[in-house]
Amino acid sequence: MKFVCSKSNLVSGLQIAQKAVPAKTSLSILQCILVDTTEGVIKFIANDMELGIETRVEGTIIERGYTALDARIFFDIIRKLPDSDVTIESTNIEGSIKITISCEKSKFTILGRSGDDFTYLPVIEKIDGISISQYTLKNIIAQTIFSVSEKDTNKLMGGELFEIDGNILKMVSLDGHRISIRKVELSNGYPYKKVIIPAKALGEVMKILSDSTESMVSVYFTDKHVLFEFDNTVVVSRLLEGQYFNIDQMMMSDYETKISINRREFLDCIDRATLFVKEGDKRPVIISIEDDYLEMKINSAVGAMDEKVEITKQGKDVKIGFNPKFLIDALRVIEDEEVDIYLVNPKAPCFIRDADSSYNYLILPINFTTVN
């Protein structure tokens, strides 16, 4: 194998592929990236058996072949080379694969591994799928992924519901303390589909996607896998098996209090309150809603804060406590200038949602009487 490729193309391709290289594994081959030029294009492939990524870069192929290279060493060498064309060549000497990397006056030699030991990505038939803009998919992931559970107590909480009903795509995540729901309208209608995609896969896809509304992503499904195809990249992930939670039973429409508040003012107020919350501290911010204002208080060993924000209120006065991080996470991804918040009582969840329910965030309160 021998090819010539610009440093910038190599760096961008390797940055994408290495997202599927596991940080720790007992199988050393999984810490490699497969470099494959057998089909007349330069492909970088990584696969940790749960998530796989294949991306193509432009270059000139002199001799076709394939070999597996240690991902960390390979990338570290490439990113420190001069900004010029790079020549990569493999030779087999007495059963040992030697890789030579040359760029201007720099020359590195590293050991490669047989590509035959590498597990390629599963073959997915591109039949059952949808098309969506990169911008839209990137946004809907960002607006829900933060409430995926980071604990391993329930594997389904480590993924997101990806549900297609006609021309509506709905994504749902939850962690036992909050629920995030986003809906977007697709340009076409599709058969009903309901799968659970691991958050790890969605997070990596989100990082690779562009902000372009013109560029599209094709998403295909099988019983066990999901495939994302866009630009020169393919991402394949296993699906999580099981029945997702009945979200509809958790989402109430009744409320005793509704407030409308400037999102930016509310977010900044909560952000200031977190100055007195240490990481891991479960102390809530106390919110009192009365007449035409919302008052926020927090007391800790570090200090105290008391601030008021103007609101429009319907219904009863209420006093309730929340984990400030949960409020911040939801408010940061909402784009509306003003948000509507619905409450029932101090022990019931609050809902932040718009009139069309294109977004709906449920947040459980904290019993502040025991901590304040």
Side-chain angles (χ1 to χ4, degrees):
M1 177 187 73
K2 184 176 182 181
F3 64 91
V4 180
C5 184
S6 69
K7 175 196 171 179
S8 60
N9 283 354
L10 288 172
V11 168
S12 61
L14 290 172
Q15 283 178 328
I16 291 172
Q18 70 175 0
K19 295 181 186 301
V21 176
K24 294 181 180 180
T25 177
S26 58
L27 299 174
S28 59
I29 191 65
L30 299 184
Q31 293 182 314
C32 295
I33 286 178
L34 182 71
V35 183
D36 187 343
T37 63
T38 56
E39 297 178 357
V41 294
I42 302 168
K43 294 192 293 188
F44 296 142
I45 305 170
N47 186 4
D48 70 1
M49 309 310 289
E50 297 293 330
L51 174 70
I53 297 177
E54 175 186 302
T55 192
R56 303 182 179 196
V57 297
E58 291 186 2
T60 302
I61 297 173
I62 301 170
E63 183 180 340
R64 299 188 183 190
Y66 60 98
T67 189
L69 302 177
D70 182 282
R72 184 186 59 81
I73 293 173
F74 186 31
F75 180 66
D76 284 348
I77 291 172
I78 296 300
R79 69 186 181 88
K80 293 188 178 182
L81 289 174
D83 293 327
S84 186
D85 285 345
V86 181
T87 300
I88 297 176
E89 183 176 8
S90 68
T91 54
N92 197 321
I93 302 175
E94 298 179 354
S96 178
I97 300 173
K98 184 177 76 171
I99 308 297
T100 303
I101 303 170
S102 306
C103 181
E104 294 185 358
K105 297 178 182 180
S106 298
K107 184 177 181 180
F108 291 84
T109 301
I110 60 175
L111 292 178
R113 296 183 58 167
S114 171
D116 296 331
D117 298 332
F118 198 86
T119 303
Y120 280 80
L121 307 190
V123 177
I124 306 294
E125 284 193 78
K126 299 173 184 178
I127 299 173
D128 185 11
I130 68 168
S131 181
I132 183 173
S133 78
Q134 293 196 34
Y135 172 83
T136 301
L137 183 59
K138 184 174 184 175
N139 266 13
I140 194 172
I141 294 173
Q143 292 164 347
T144 52
I145 197 167
F146 57 84
S147 57
V148 169
S149 176
E150 298 178 355
K151 299 179 181 179
D152 296 329
T153 51
N154 190 316
K155 65 176 183 178
L156 295 184
M157 287 188 182
E160 289 202 48
L161 179 69
F162 196 95
E163 184 176 16
I164 302 146
D165 191 355
N167 68 334
I168 300 297
L169 167 61
K170 179 170 75 172
M171 291 187 67
V172 182
S173 64
L174 77 168
D175 63 5
H177 302 283
R178 51 185 169 167
I179 301 174
S180 299
I181 303 174
R182 280 288 281 117
K183 294 179 183 178
V184 294
E185 189 173 328
L186 304 172
S187 55
N188 297 301
Y190 298 94
Y192 183 78
K193 176 67 64 175
K194 186 177 182 180
V195 298
I196 307 169
I197 303 176
K200 177 185 176 182
L202 291 172
E204 300 303 347
V205 167
M206 180 180 69
K207 293 173 188 174
I208 305 169
L209 289 170
S210 73
D211 292 320
S212 171
T213 56
E214 303 293 328
S215 302
M216 305 299 288
V217 185
S218 295
V219 188
Y220 300 98
F221 308 92
T222 69
D223 291 340
K224 295 185 179 297
H225 294 91
V226 59
L227 179 149
F228 299 88
E229 185 175 40
F230 52 97
D231 299 334
N232 296 311
T233 298
V234 171
V235 180
V236 179
S237 171
R238 287 184 180 271
L239 296 171
L240 295 177
E241 297 181 2
Q243 185 68 34
Y244 202 70
F245 310 93
N246 190 340
I247 298 300
D248 292 337
Q249 287 185 347
M250 307 177 195
M251 309 304 290
M252 298 182 297
S253 57
D254 295 335
Y255 61 91
E256 295 288 335
T257 306
K258 175 188 175 183
I259 67 168
S260 298
I261 188 169
N262 182 281
R263 182 189 65 85
R264 186 75 254 173
E265 285 186 33
F266 190 29
L267 179 57
D268 289 345
C269 180
I270 303 168
D271 197 32
R272 286 189 285 272
T274 60
L275 293 171
F276 299 114
V277 181
K278 294 181 180 179
E279 187 174 349
D281 190 351
K282 295 182 180 180
R283 185 173 298 275
V285 291
I286 311 303
I287 295 174
S288 299
I289 296 167
E290 297 180 9
D291 301 326
D292 57 355
Y293 68 87
L294 175 151
E295 183 179 22
M296 181 176 297
K297 292 183 179 181
I298 187 164
N299 290 299
S300 74
V302 180
M305 172 193 155
D306 187 334
E307 185 171 344
K308 292 181 179 180
V309 181
E310 290 185 359
I311 61 170
T312 301
K313 188 195 77 170
Q314 299 174 23
K316 300 178 178 179
D317 293 348
V318 64
K319 187 176 183 181
I320 191 168
F322 290 106
N323 181 325
K325 180 182 184 303
F326 294 167
L327 290 170
I328 288 172
D329 286 344
L331 292 169
R332 275 182 177 163
V333 298
I334 296 173
E335 297 174 349
D336 294 344
E337 183 178 346
E338 190 169 74
V339 294
D340 294 330
I341 303 175
Y342 300 82
L343 306 104
V344 179
N345 59 58
K347 295 185 178 181
C350 84
F351 297 85
I352 307 173
R353 60 173 179 254
D354 62 352
D356 300 326
S357 291
S358 65
Y359 62 80
N360 198 339
Y361 297 99
L362 176 155
I363 303 173
L364 292 177
I366 295 177
N367 182 6
F368 59 86
T369 58
T370 62
V371 294
N372 218 49

